[in-house]
Amino acid sequence: MSILMIFRIALKALSRNKMRTALTMLGMIIGVSAVITMVALGAGAQSSIDAQIQSAGTNMIMVTAGNFTQGGVRQGQGNAATLVPEDAAAIADVSGVQYVAAAANTRGQIVAGNQNWNSQIQGTDVDFPLIRSWQTSSGGFFTPQDVDTAAKVAVIGSTVRDQLFGPDADPIGEVIRISTGQGGGGGPGGGNNVQNQPFTVVGVMTTKGQSSVGQDQDDVVFVPYSTVMKKLRRTTGIQQITVSAVSAAETTQTADAIASVLRVRHKIQPEDPDDFMVRTMDEIADVRKQTTQTMTALLAGIAGVSLLVGGIGIMNIMLVSVTERTREIGLRMAIGARGSDVLLQFLVEAVVISLLGGGIGIALGFGMAESMTRLWLWPTEVPSSAVGMAFGFAAMVGVFFGFYPAKKAAGLDPIVALRYE
């Protein structure tokens, strides 16, 4: 029998039981579409992380307060006021540093007229827009004089503007009132609430969108860090220092130099751990990428189980088909068909079911990924390698699970097969 004839017989046999063939393909369709969708989610998250890291600047360095041992207990970042504004000034003199911005953050209720909104109050310095490549859409950022005098001026994100004034309003010059639950004492904690502090809006930031973890970056109010320290939190320490290196190539070297300067300033002995954390964007990106890759592999592995279930379904149906067509097989072998012809015929049937199911599953996976992007705004991206992997795996499942039924059919005795009822 020619290869073409074998294909024609296999396709005709499948078309005689359209419903059974479709149900057999269903397991493969679900498995392939699930794998494509899960991989698309993982790849989309990876691309989103890369975009966020790129937009933040690959030469950005984060210096965070905390990270030391006290009384045998490991204190995490932000648990103590181990950084002060003078540390930021010292970092600015380190070779390889381009911009520096100290940070002291809190949360508060923002009131404007009869509208109010709870948002993050981020105290920062004048270099912040340069570090983050984030400019104002109207007005301007606060000035060095505002930082020196702890002025009550604010630059708001677009989400805060929309909630308090409306998307088409120009809030420049308007007064907002900020109430927080922080304050009191000399540490980063709080005692008495700070109520109804008036701030003048001097600028509105351009829309930044969501971060890689789904946080709305525009839901923020920027004020001088000195204002947060003295008038909102009433603390002597800062929580973070954001640094921009001169170039991405010098980031690691600059981070090491910053750590050395801070250890000297904080009088840390060589055998003692740092009371701060210095992280580059490369390190943060690597951690996030590893997490995303692990989750993608886990989700794809779970989805891949359905491919195996689909393969078992194919083998089951093919065994039933061999039993039903025993006399047909005996007749074909009696008139000259070889065992290899019968083997190839049933193998072709199994592979066709797998490939058709795989093709439909790939199309369905693309559709599900696109639907997630449009309906839930989840970033998705289907790599070409994932399509080839899913299609190839579907073919391998067809061959693997179809071989045993095909081998069983090819091994039938023609005489016994012709007598089968």
Side-chain angles (χ1 to χ4, degrees), residues 133-153:
S133 299
W134 193 1
Q135 304 305 317
T136 56
S137 60
S138 63
F141 215 69
F142 43 79
T143 65
Q145 184 179 1
D146 293 328
V147 176
D148 293 339
T149 60
K152 293 182 180 180
V153 293

Side-chain angles (χ1 to χ4, degrees), residues 399-417:
V399 173
F400 182 79
F401 288 100
F403 183 80
Y404 175 71
K407 184 68 174 176
K408 183 178 180 180
L412 289 176
D413 187 323
I415 297 176
V416 174

Side-chain angles (χ1 to χ4, degrees), residues 40-62:
L41 283 172
Q46 186 68 62
S47 297
S48 178
I49 290 172
D50 291 340
Q52 292 292 337
I53 296 299
Q54 192 65 34
S55 65
T58 54
N59 55 342
M60 193 164 74
I61 302 169
M62 310 295 292

Side-chain angles (χ1 to χ4, degrees), residues 37-302:
T37 304
M38 294 300 102
V39 172
L41 283 172
Q46 186 68 62
S47 297
S48 178
I49 290 172
D50 291 340
Q52 292 292 337
I53 296 299
Q54 192 65 34
S55 65
T58 54
N59 55 342
M60 193 164 74
I61 302 169
M62 310 295 292
V63 184
T64 309
N67 189 41
F68 68 103
T69 301
Q70 185 176 40
V73 178
R74 187 71 169 173
Q75 303 291 330
Q77 56 181 347
N79 286 342
T82 57
L83 294 177
V84 293
E86 290 75 17
D87 290 328
I91 289 174
D93 295 331
V94 173
S95 176
V97 170
Q98 187 175 25
Y99 303 115
V100 177
N105 307 326
T106 185
R107 286 198 70 87
Q109 198 72 19
I110 319 299
V111 179
N114 61 352
Q115 302 295 323
N116 69 90
W117 183 252
N118 190 276
S119 183
Q120 178 186 5
I121 314 300
Q122 185 167 339
T124 187
D125 209 340
V126 294
D127 283 352
F128 177 82
L130 302 174
I131 296 173
R132 292 291 306 275
S133 299
W134 193 1
Q135 304 305 317
T136 56
S137 60
S138 63
F141 215 69
F142 43 79
T143 65
Q145 184 179 1
D146 293 328
V147 176
D148 293 339
T149 60
K152 293 182 180 180
V153 293
V155 181
I156 61 177
S158 58
T159 297
V160 177
R161 176 202 58 195
D162 296 346
Q163 296 296 330
L164 296 180
F165 301 100
D168 299 323
D170 182 10
I172 305 303
E174 297 288 342
V175 175
I176 60 176
R177 307 189 75 84
I178 299 178
S179 300
T180 73
Q182 302 286 346
N192 300 320
N193 292 342
V194 177
Q195 299 291 340
N196 294 324
Q197 294 273 2
F199 284 75
T200 302
V201 177
V202 296
V204 178
M205 303 300 290
T206 56
T207 301
K208 197 77 167 178
Q210 289 188 340
S211 68
S212 59
V213 294
Q215 180 184 1
D216 185 0
Q217 299 181 90
D218 303 309
D219 189 5
V220 64
V221 176
F222 294 107
V223 301
Y225 75 88
S226 54
T227 305
V228 173
M229 290 173 58
K230 296 177 181 179
K231 299 177 180 179
L232 294 181
R233 297 193 59 175
R234 296 172 183 168
T235 180
T236 58
I238 57 178
Q239 296 160 305
Q240 193 177 73
I241 302 172
T242 306
V243 182
S244 178
V246 173
S247 67
E250 298 181 34
T251 301
T252 302
Q253 180 180 355
T254 303
D256 293 339
I258 290 172
S260 298
V261 168
L262 291 180
R263 286 185 64 87
V264 172
R265 281 189 49 80
H266 295 186
K267 297 180 174 60
I268 300 175
Q269 298 301 316
E271 66 276 7
D272 293 334
D274 297 336
D275 61 358
F276 56 87
M277 294 181 66
V278 180
R279 302 290 295 274
T280 65
M281 294 305 293
D282 289 340
E283 293 173 344
I284 297 172
D286 289 342
V287 171
R288 290 183 177 178
K289 286 179 181 179
Q290 290 173 7
T291 302
T292 303
Q293 289 170 354
T294 301
M295 291 303 299
T296 301
L298 177 62
L299 292 174
I302 294 173

Side-chain angles (χ1 to χ4, degrees), residues 22-50:
L23 291 175
T24 305
M25 284 193 298
L26 188 60
M28 193 60 59
I29 292 172
I30 294 173
V32 171
S33 62
V35 170
I36 291 294
T37 304
M38 294 300 102
V39 172
L41 283 172
Q46 186 68 62
S47 297
S48 178
I49 290 172
D50 291 340

